[in-house]
Amino acid sequence: MAIFHGSKVKVFSLSSNLELANEIAAYIGIPLSDCEVTHFADGEININITETVRGHKVFVIQTTSSPVNEHIMELLIMIDALKRASAREVNVVIPYYGYSRQDRKAKARQPISAKLVADLLQVAGASRVISVDLHAPQIQGFFNIPIDNFRAMPIIASYMKAKNLPDVCVVSPDHGGVARARTLGDILTAPIAIIDKMRPEPNVAEVMNIIGNVKKKNCILIDDMIDTAGSIVAATEALIAAGAKEIYACCTHPLLSGQAVERIMASPLAELVCTNTIYLPPEKRFSKLTQLSIASLLGQGIINIIDDQGISTLFS
């Protein structure tokens, strides 16, 4: 039994990002508890919790990255198992919230899958959700339980500020990310620019125009996630064509699907800075990549939640 600041606490990790989970557990000072995730012959998931959780505040760490559906089902089954084992609270730590891009009906007869995932987590029995840089802040309104949306910006901004780049311009890769770019620009006391782009189809981006002056500037592209890297590479090439010097890209969630690594390595991009919300296997760790840890951010957030302390100071 782990007693932390007078409370019975246990931290579990499922299969998506054990590396981050170990870092978080080390920061808190609580070892990860044991659970077994196995599969039946037909692919069904089975979870066995090998120690008591009765009356405990439980934290389950599971990022819902690829394979998204598998990781979501693991999490739902784990929540159900913990509730049936009489856990006092089931706090789910989802560094990357899968299906977050489907947060509204962009066309007729489309689903709002981010709301569906929120409903599934609540019905399964989650007491609280902890996430990092939700694709759309309004996703918080899909929940009727507490949800904490942590921000990776302080970690990314500290890294970029330490580089001490001259003549910096922060660039938003689309109109929707202007607030994010402005925040980083304010921290670095740098102007911002905006990439005016269109998406003829999902994961395909066409740069139409650049709003702002990027000539002879060191440009920092900032986004919440990079998936196939099509948008970032197109933006990088457009900025170089507009006279920019070096291009850096920053994101919270490095999905890096498909040919993303090859695209980035073949592009003029100088460096991609991301966090470890998503586990990257060795084949996705390349020379232009810098991965920053958010373990201390999430770990301190968990400590504050255990102690019933505020977490707003962690967003600064």
Side-chain angles (χ1 to χ4, degrees):
M1 180 188 299
I3 303 295
F4 185 85
H5 295 188
S7 298
K8 294 193 291 184
V9 178
K10 287 194 174 174
V11 180
F12 290 91
S13 174
L14 296 175
S15 64
S16 65
N17 200 337
L18 185 58
E19 191 176 87
L20 174 60
N22 277 313
E23 288 184 36
I24 293 171
Y27 181 90
I28 300 170
I30 299 175
L32 289 177
S33 295
D34 292 327
C35 68
E36 299 170 353
V37 180
T38 57
H39 294 78
F40 292 104
D42 65 350
E44 287 183 1
I45 298 166
N46 183 46
I47 287 180
N48 180 36
I49 301 167
T50 58
E51 51 193 85
T52 183
V53 295
R54 184 178 296 273
H56 285 67
K57 291 183 177 181
V58 176
F59 292 83
V60 182
I61 301 167
Q62 174 81 329
T63 202
T64 50
S65 55
S66 180
V68 182
N69 300 334
E70 178 94 359
H71 288 153
I72 288 175
M73 279 306 300
E74 273 187 22
L75 181 55
L76 295 173
I77 293 169
M78 181 65 169
I79 295 169
D80 183 73
L82 289 166
K83 291 299 289 185
R84 294 178 188 279
S86 300
R88 177 181 162 192
E89 297 176 8
V90 181
N91 303 281
V92 293
V93 182
I94 311 175
Y96 169 67
Y97 185 93
Y99 286 100
S100 60
R101 283 171 285 188
Q102 299 179 43
D103 61 299
R104 67 195 185 283
K105 291 182 67 171
K107 297 179 181 177
R109 297 174 297 281
Q110 283 190 334
I112 305 179
S113 304
K115 175 65 167 70
L116 174 60
V117 172
D119 290 344
L120 290 170
L121 290 168
Q122 292 173 107
V123 170
S127 308
R128 173 188 294 268
V129 171
I130 301 161
S131 195
V132 181
D133 284 342
L134 290 167
H135 184 65
Q138 65 263 27
I139 291 174
Q140 296 171 90
F142 295 166
F143 290 88
N144 294 318
I145 57 175
I147 174 168
D148 299 307
N149 183 28
F150 285 81
R151 298 170 191 165
M153 180 62 79
I155 295 168
I156 293 171
S158 294
Y159 177 84
M160 295 308 301
K161 195 167 186 178
K163 292 182 80 71
N164 200 28
L165 295 170
D167 302 317
V168 169
C169 180
V170 179
V171 182
S172 173
D174 52 37
H175 294 277
V178 172
R180 190 182 300 110
R182 192 172 299 282
T183 299
L184 182 58
D186 289 344
I187 294 169
L188 301 179
T189 60
I192 71 167
I194 304 166
I195 301 289
D196 179 23
K197 72 179 183 185
M198 63 176 292
R199 285 193 181 275
E201 57 184 278
N203 293 125
V204 176
E206 293 180 5
V207 174
M208 308 300 292
N209 196 14
I210 298 174
I211 304 168
N213 179 27
V214 298
K215 191 172 184 180
K216 296 183 180 180
K217 300 281 189 181
N218 287 306
C219 294
I220 303 173
L221 285 156
I222 178 76
D223 210 346
D224 64 323
M225 67 178 75
I226 294 177
D227 192 356
T228 62
S231 294
I232 288 294
V233 168
T236 298
E237 292 170 347
L239 290 169
I240 291 292
K245 291 193 287 188
E246 285 195 312
I247 315 296
Y248 298 81
C250 302
C251 73
T252 304
H253 311 297
L255 302 180
L256 301 183
S257 306
Q259 301 299 308
V261 172
E262 290 80 359
R263 287 193 181 109
I264 293 169
M265 288 301 293
S267 76
L269 191 69
E271 183 181 12
L272 169 59
V273 180
C274 64
T275 75
N276 60 345
T277 56
I278 294 171
Y279 170 76
L280 294 178
E283 62 270 19
K284 289 189 177 181
R285 302 188 185 195
F286 50 99
S287 57
K288 290 184 179 182
L289 179 76
T290 299
Q291 200 168 23
L292 309 174
S293 178
I294 58 161
S296 59
L297 174 67
L298 291 174
Q300 190 59 52
I302 289 172
I303 291 171
N304 287 17
I305 289 167
I306 294 169
D307 293 341
D308 294 324
Q309 299 292 322
I311 61 170
S312 58
T313 54
L314 302 178
F315 296 165
S316 302

